[in-house]
Amino acid sequence: MPTISKGDYVLVTGASGFLGAHTALAFLEAGYRVRGTVRSKSKGEYLVKLFAGKGEFDYVLVDDITREGAFDEAVKGVDAVAHTASPVVMSGAVEPKELLDPAIKGTTGVLESIEKVNPGIKRVVITSSFMAMFNMYPGTYRYTEKDWNEISPAHVEENGAQSWPFHSYNTSKVLAEKAFWKFIEDKKPSWEGVAINPSWILGPIIHDCDSPEKLNESIALFYPWAAGKMTEKDLPGQVGLGVHVKDVTLAHIRALEVPEAAGERFLTSSHTYTSQDYVDILHKHFLDLPNVPVGQPETYEERSKEYPIGDSSKLTRVLGITLTPFGDIVVDMTKSLRERFNF
Ligand code: NAP
C-alpha cells in the first residue's frame, strides 16, 4: 500500500482553477513539493508568485488534456497525482461532448501517461463529484458512497446535443470516475486510486480571477447574494449541498497519505442548504453589506426536514477529517470576495 510522505513530489492537474490552486497550496503547506499543470504561461506565472515562499513549486503547460500523451511531460518524476482538471459548466449553451471529452479523456490520459512514463508512482487521487452520486431522489434520502447517478447519463443518452448542461456536467463526472475505476481494474497498475466526491465547493478564492464574471460556477452562484444583486423573490432559492474548499483539499492530501483510502471513494459534503441560509449568515456577520434580502430567517430547522443528506461519515472515519461548519464557510467566502472585488 504505497502512500506519500513529506517531501514527495505531487502533480496537481488544473492548478489554475479554483480548487486546483487551493489543492496545490495545501500540498505545499503540508510539506510536499508540487508541480501544477496549467493551460497558459500567464496562469503558471500567477501561481509561481502566489506560492513564493511556500515551498518548491513548478508548472508544466498542458493546453489540451484530450490530446494523446498530453500529460507525458507532467508526470515525469512525480510520486503521486491529484487530478482536478475538468470543465465545470452547468448552465448556458454547452454540448455534452464539450464536457464529456475533457473529463473522460483527461482522466484516462493522465493514467496512460503514468503507465507509459512513470508506472512506479505511489498513488492517484481524482476529483470526482457528489454529482456522480446524486440521483435527484425526492425527500430526505441519505446519499453515501454506494450511490451512483443514473438519471443524468440516461438524460444525456436520450437528449444528445439538447441535454440540460446540469445533466451533461453530471454525466461527465459519472463517466470520468467510472473510467478511472475501470482503468485500475483492467490494467492492475502498481499504484492505487482514490476518488474524492465533493458537493458544491465553497470558500475563499486564491486563483487568478480578475472579475466576478470569470468566477467558477460554485462561487459565481454565491457572489450575487453578497454583492446585493438578488431580491426577496429569489428566496429561499434551490436546495444545494456544500463543503469548504479547505476540507476538500485536505481530503485530497489524506487520500494519498492514508493506506486505507486505497480503492475508495469519499463523499465530501458538510451541509444541505438554500440561499436563505446564505443571507441569514450574511446578515449576522456583515451588517454593512447593502441590499441583501431577508426572506424568512431562522427557518432552517423546519425547512431542512425535507432536505437530502450527504453522509460524509466515511470521510471522517477513514481520512480523519472534521468538516467546517456552514457559517464559517460563508464568512470565509464573503471576506475573500469583498477583498478581491472591492465591495
Ligand atoms: P474551475 O475553477 O473551472 O477549474 C477547472 C480547472 O480545470 C481549471 O484549471 C481549468 O483550466 C481546467 N480545465 C477545464 N477545462 C479544461 C479543458 N478542456 N482542458 C484543460 N483544462 C481544463 O473549477 P473548479 O470548481 O475548481 O473545479 C475543479 C474540479 O473540481 C473539477 O474536476 C470539478 O468537476 C470538481 N468539482 C468542483 C465542484 C465545485 O463546486 N466547484 C464540486 C465538485 C467537484 P483553466 O484555468 O485554464 O480554465
Side-chain angles (χ1 to χ4, degrees), residues 13-21 37-40 43 62-66 71 83-88 90 98 102-103 127-131 169 172-173 196-202 207-208 214-219 241 243 248 252:
T13 70
S16 53
F18 161 60
L19 174 67
T37 69
V38 292
R39 288 200 273 191
S40 69
K43 290 195 176 185
V62 179
D63 59 351
D64 177 6
I65 59 177
T66 64
F71 290 101
H83 178 53
T84 82
S86 206
V88 186
M90 294 181 88
E98 293 170 56
T127 317
S128 183
S129 172
F130 173 68
M131 287 300 163
Y169 169 72
S172 79
K173 300 307 286 184
I196 301 299
N197 297 66
S199 57
W200 231 201
I201 308 174
L202 305 168
H207 65 299
D208 187 10
K214 293 185 197 157
L215 281 166
N216 65 298
E217 291 261 338
S218 52
I219 308 296
L241 287 89
V243 62
V248 180
H252 283 73

Side-chain angles (χ1 to χ4, degrees), residues 84-253:
T84 82
S86 206
V88 186
V89 183
M90 294 181 88
S91 56
V94 61
E95 289 210 14
K97 194 175 154 38
E98 293 170 56
L99 303 177
L100 267 56
D101 276 2
I104 301 165
K105 289 186 190 158
T107 303
T108 53
V110 181
L111 306 183
E112 276 155 12
S113 290
I114 290 169
E115 286 309 278
K116 185 164 66 170
V117 176
N118 188 2
I121 205 168
K122 295 174 178 168
R123 241 182 216 191
V124 178
V125 57
I126 61 159
T127 317
S128 183
S129 172
F130 173 68
M131 287 300 163
M133 301 167 161
F134 184 56
N135 244 326
M136 292 176 88
Y137 295 127
T140 55
Y141 184 79
R142 178 176 283 269
Y143 286 88
T144 70
E145 288 79 5
K146 291 190 186 69
D147 289 294
W148 279 96
N149 179 338
E150 288 167 3
I151 56 162
S152 292
H155 170 95
V156 170
E157 176 84 34
E158 198 180 321
N159 295 280
Q162 268 68 51
S163 299
W164 294 359
F166 170 78
H167 284 305
S168 301
Y169 169 72
N170 294 353
T171 303
S172 79
K173 300 307 286 184
V174 172
L175 298 185
E177 192 190 330
K178 286 196 169 168
F180 177 66
W181 294 122
K182 184 167 184 334
F183 187 98
I184 293 173
E185 198 184 317
D186 290 352
K187 310 262 167 147
K188 308 209 170 2
S190 62
W191 49 266
E192 294 164 317
V194 185
I196 301 299
N197 297 66
S199 57
W200 231 201
I201 308 174
L202 305 168
I205 55 164
I206 61 169
H207 65 299
D208 187 10
C209 177
D210 57 13
S211 77
E213 291 72 33
K214 293 185 197 157
L215 281 166
N216 65 298
E217 291 261 338
S218 52
I219 308 296
L221 281 179
F222 169 73
Y223 168 80
W225 292 99
K229 295 178 190 306
M230 304 304 274
T231 65
E232 294 293 333
K233 71 174 169 34
D234 298 311
L235 288 169
Q238 286 182 343
V239 175
L241 287 89
V243 62
H244 199 299
V245 64
K246 74 178 183 194
D247 297 334
V248 180
T249 59
L250 184 57
H252 283 73
I253 295 174

